[in-house]
């Protein structure tokens, strides 16, 4: 099944299976987490974080003048504060401004959900809490999560509170829908022709007002990240391992399969450099300024493959930026006298074949549901159309989808974001992207 689907999408989007960034140079990752846009503050004269966000923007610009524009911008959850549509819309505009300023593109954004991206009023309902409690009280929570994911009503209860987040994440093809699409993926091309594979996990699917440390989970799909020749896995999740019930076990597993691991939530920067991995936990871009150890920050990470004495190595250079006060500004968090945290990790031998075609991630389960594997400019064009389509009103999106006959009867049972995702993918499959783009353009002008 997977192999056939990969062939289907490679024919539709071109021969390249991965985005052509980083060839001949390091891939540059801009990592932000815990932005916490609050509806009660954003766009008002009482917003206490306007200055801080502006300083982040200015510092990113200065750093990217030295390092180059980011190839991917990872936002590791807690984009919003209360999961409201207004908060996510503000985030989109802010990210667009940041991309324009630093030379990146909004198409490069890659996101995963955090606990503040959950609508608590929905997650705290009695029926939802019954599902959560059944998982938490189980002697085998992983098996119970899988069991609940197989039940249509239960999985809807677990994910309904993330609908606003998923509408936002659809712009970047990072939206999630259980049971088959509970993690987001994207492939980038490293400098030696190998693949950097991003995995965005969901640690917030049973998040609610009752969250406590050590009592959240990843679903079984997160334990199905596998190693492949010529592929380096990068895992990003919102909650630090200390917040996961199976955090120790999951940490051991990630050490085997993912040389790069990125977390957020704890609002304090931590860097763990092991022989097999770099584990990077971000400061919050917008923390609560009254919390202990208030430390706004963000990270830039350079990733490249080097060869030394016939051995391939992954070279990571982390530029950790943290806020200092009096005088205020972002400064480098130093490591043994250096502004850069540098680490090398041994890789298995691999040589690029004459014609590179690395398989896309295993999460693609059928041609109507999974996103096409990243296909260079073709995938960027599809993301660009998705971004424009996202900004239209619900009524305009629905009218276009109906007029172009891109909706099927089965779509009516799906959340809004999933229906519109299928519209985009169906337009690609039916060679209607130009027609859809023209309709979107007309709606934008109208």
């Amino acid at each position: 099944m997977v192999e056939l689907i990969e062939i289907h999408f490679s024919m539709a989007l071109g021969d390249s299976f991965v985005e052509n960034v980083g060839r001949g140079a390091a891939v540059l990752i801009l990592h932000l987490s815990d932005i916490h846009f609050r509806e009660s503050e954003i766009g008002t004269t009482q917003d206490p974080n306007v200055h801080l966000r502006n300083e982040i923007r200015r510092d990113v610009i200065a750093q990217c003048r030295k390092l180059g524009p980011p190839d991917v911008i990872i936002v590791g959850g807690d984009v919003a504060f209360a999961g409201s549509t207004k908060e996510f819309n503000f985030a989109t505009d802010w990210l667009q401004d940041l991309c324009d300023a630093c030379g990146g593109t909004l198409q490069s954004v890659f996101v995963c959900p955090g606990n503040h991206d959950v609508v608590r009023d929905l997650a705290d309902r009695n029926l939802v809490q019954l599902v959560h409690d059944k998982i938490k009280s189980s002697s085998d929570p992983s098996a119970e999560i899988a069991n609940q994911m197989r039940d249509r009503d239960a999985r809807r209860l677990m994910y309904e509170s993330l609908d606003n987040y998923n509408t936002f994440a659809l712009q970047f093809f990072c939206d999630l829908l259980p049971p088959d699409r509970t993690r987001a993926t994207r492939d980038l091309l490293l400098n030696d022709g190998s693949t950097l594979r991003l995995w965005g996990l969901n640690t917030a699917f049973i998040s609610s007002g009752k969250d406590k440390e050590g009592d959240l989970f990843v679903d079984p799909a997160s334990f199905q990240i596998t190693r492949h020749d010529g592929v380096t896995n990068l895992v990003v999740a919102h909650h630090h391992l200390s917040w996961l019930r199976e955090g120790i076990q999951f940490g051991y597993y990630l050490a085997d399969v993912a040389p790069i691991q990125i977390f957020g939530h704890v609002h304090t920067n931590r860097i763990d450099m092991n022989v097999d991995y770099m584990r990077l936990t971000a400061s919050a871009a917008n923390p609560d300024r009254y919390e202990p150890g208030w430390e706004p920050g963000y990270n830039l990470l350079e990733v490249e493959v080097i060869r030394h004495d016939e051995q391939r190595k992954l070279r990571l250079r982390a530029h950790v930026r943290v806020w200092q006060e009096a005088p205020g500004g972002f400064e480098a968090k130093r490591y043994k006298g250096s502004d850069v945290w540098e680490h090398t990790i041994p890789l298995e031998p691999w040589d690029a074949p004459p014609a590179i075609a690395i398989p896309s991630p295993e999460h693609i389960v059928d041609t109507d549901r999974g996103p096409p594997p990243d296909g260079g400019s073709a995938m960027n064009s599809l993301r660009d159309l998705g971004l424009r389509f996202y900004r239209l009103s619900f009524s305009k999106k629905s009218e276009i989808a109906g007029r172009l006959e891109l909706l099927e009867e089965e779509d009516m049972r799906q959340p809004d974001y999933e229906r519109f995702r299928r519209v985009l993918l169906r337009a690609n499959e039916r060679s209607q992207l130009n027609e859809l783009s023209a309709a979107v353009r007309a709606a934008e002008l109208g």
Side-chain angles (χ1 to χ4, degrees):
M1 172 71 78
V2 172
E3 291 180 356
L4 291 175
I5 292 163
E6 288 165 354
I7 292 171
H8 170 87
F9 281 125
S10 69
M11 292 172 64
L13 291 179
D15 294 330
S16 176
F17 279 30
V18 290
E19 290 187 49
N20 189 18
V21 300
R23 181 176 290 276
V27 168
L28 181 63
I29 298 170
L30 170 59
H31 172 219
L32 302 158
S33 188
D34 298 83
I35 307 174
H36 295 147
F37 291 121
R38 297 182 188 229
E39 184 171 354
S40 62
E41 297 173 351
I42 52 179
T44 75
T45 57
Q46 304 305 313
D47 187 342
N49 293 311
V50 168
H51 170 63
L52 181 59
R53 289 197 300 271
N54 185 62
E55 289 300 310
I56 289 176
R57 180 182 183 276
R58 288 171 58 85
D59 196 67
V60 169
I61 293 171
Q63 294 304 306
C64 288
R65 286 196 184 111
K66 303 174 187 175
L67 302 173
D71 296 302
V72 62
I73 299 173
I74 292 176
V75 184
D78 279 6
V79 178
F81 184 77
S84 80
T85 297
K86 184 177 179 181
E87 292 168 345
F88 287 118
N89 289 342
F90 188 89
T92 298
D93 292 339
W94 186 78
L95 286 168
Q96 180 67 74
D97 178 69
L98 183 67
C99 289
D100 291 343
C102 71
T105 64
L106 200 59
Q107 294 95 323
S108 72
V109 171
F110 184 80
V111 298
C112 71
N115 51 294
H116 279 284
D117 298 318
V118 169
V119 178
R120 294 285 178 86
D121 288 345
L122 296 176
D124 289 349
R125 291 176 301 167
N126 286 338
L127 282 177
V128 179
Q129 288 300 310
L130 287 173
V131 176
H132 290 188
D133 290 343
K134 191 165 186 180
I135 292 170
K136 293 177 180 179
S137 63
S138 173
S139 60
D140 188 350
S142 185
E144 185 59 37
I145 291 170
N147 181 54
Q148 296 295 331
M149 288 288 189
R150 285 189 286 267
D151 184 276
R152 183 176 64 183
D153 295 330
R155 65 179 180 252
R156 182 64 188 140
L157 287 170
M158 285 190 286
Y159 266 73
E160 186 178 11
S161 59
L162 284 167
D163 277 1
N164 290 343
Y165 163 81
N166 276 316
T167 298
F168 163 79
L170 171 59
Q171 301 175 90
F172 318 112
F173 286 94
C174 293
D175 53 306
L176 307 172
L177 185 73
D180 298 316
R181 202 173 70 241
T182 59
R183 58 197 184 184
T185 61
R186 186 177 300 175
D187 284 356
L188 303 174
L189 196 64
L190 287 169
N191 57 295
D192 71 337
S194 62
T195 294
L196 177 65
R197 179 160 294 165
L198 312 184
W199 300 88
L201 308 185
N202 183 4
T203 57
F205 65 95
I206 64 165
S207 179
S208 72
K210 296 183 178 181
D211 288 359
K212 60 182 181 180
E213 189 170 6
D215 213 24
L216 294 175
F217 300 86
V218 290
D219 73 339
S222 298
F223 282 90
Q224 295 181 12
I225 298 169
T226 51
R227 296 186 301 158
H228 296 278
D229 292 343
V231 176
T232 298
N233 291 318
L234 182 159
V235 167
V236 54
H238 177 68
H239 290 92
H240 186 267
L241 294 170
S242 61
W243 277 76
L244 304 179
R245 179 84 66 85
E246 67 273 58
I248 294 176
Q249 177 190 4
F250 192 51
Y252 289 151
Y253 167 72
L254 290 182
D256 290 335
V257 301
I260 310 173
Q261 305 164 27
I262 296 178
F263 300 95
H265 187 67
V266 295
H267 297 187
T268 302
N269 189 277
R270 304 176 184 175
I271 301 178
D272 182 10
M273 295 190 293
N274 182 280
V275 65
D276 293 320
Y277 61 82
M278 174 183 277
R279 185 171 291 160
L280 186 61
T281 305
S283 302
N286 276 337
D288 185 336
R289 61 191 62 238
Y290 300 108
E291 69 183 53
W294 184 69
E295 185 192 56
Y298 72 95
N299 304 306
L300 287 154
L301 180 64
E302 297 177 89
V303 183
E304 66 178 327
V305 177
I306 59 174
R307 291 185 182 268
H308 181 69
D309 294 335
E310 302 302 319
Q311 183 179 7
R312 292 175 72 236
K313 293 183 178 181
L314 187 69
R315 181 162 68 182
L316 305 174
R317 290 169 50 84
H319 305 260
V320 180
R321 308 294 294 174
V322 293
W323 178 258
Q324 73 165 30
E325 293 187 304
F330 283 93
E331 299 288 343
K333 183 172 183 176
R334 297 174 66 81
Y335 176 68
K336 294 183 177 181
S338 173
D339 287 352
V340 181
W341 297 64
E342 187 161 348
H343 190 39
T344 57
I345 300 169
L347 296 175
E348 294 181 348
W350 182 82
D351 290 303
I356 184 169
I358 296 172
S360 59
E362 296 83 352
H363 78 296
I364 298 175
V365 294
D366 66 57
T367 56
D368 286 332
R369 308 294 180 263
D374 289 343
S377 60
M379 188 61 209
N380 282 336
S381 296
L382 187 57
R383 282 207 195 95
D384 176 67
L385 180 56
L387 289 165
R388 292 166 51 212
F389 191 59
Y390 166 82
R391 288 177 177 268
L392 298 179
S393 67
F394 178 87
S395 60
K396 286 184 177 181
K397 288 196 285 270
S398 299
E399 188 279 327
I400 290 172
R403 173 159 48 87
L404 299 184
E405 299 182 346
L406 292 171
L407 282 173
E408 304 289 349
E409 184 176 348
E410 63 177 19
D411 300 336
M412 298 302 105
R413 296 189 295 272
Q414 300 298 328
D416 292 342
Y417 71 89
E418 176 65 14
R419 288 205 296 272
F420 293 131
R421 175 192 182 89
R422 295 181 182 194
V423 166
L424 290 165
L425 297 177
R426 208 166 274 139
N428 174 63
E429 294 166 13
R430 297 176 181 176
S431 300
Q432 289 182 264
L433 286 181
N434 289 338
E435 192 177 358
L436 178 58
S437 180
V440 170
R441 174 61 64 191
E444 291 170 334
L445 297 175

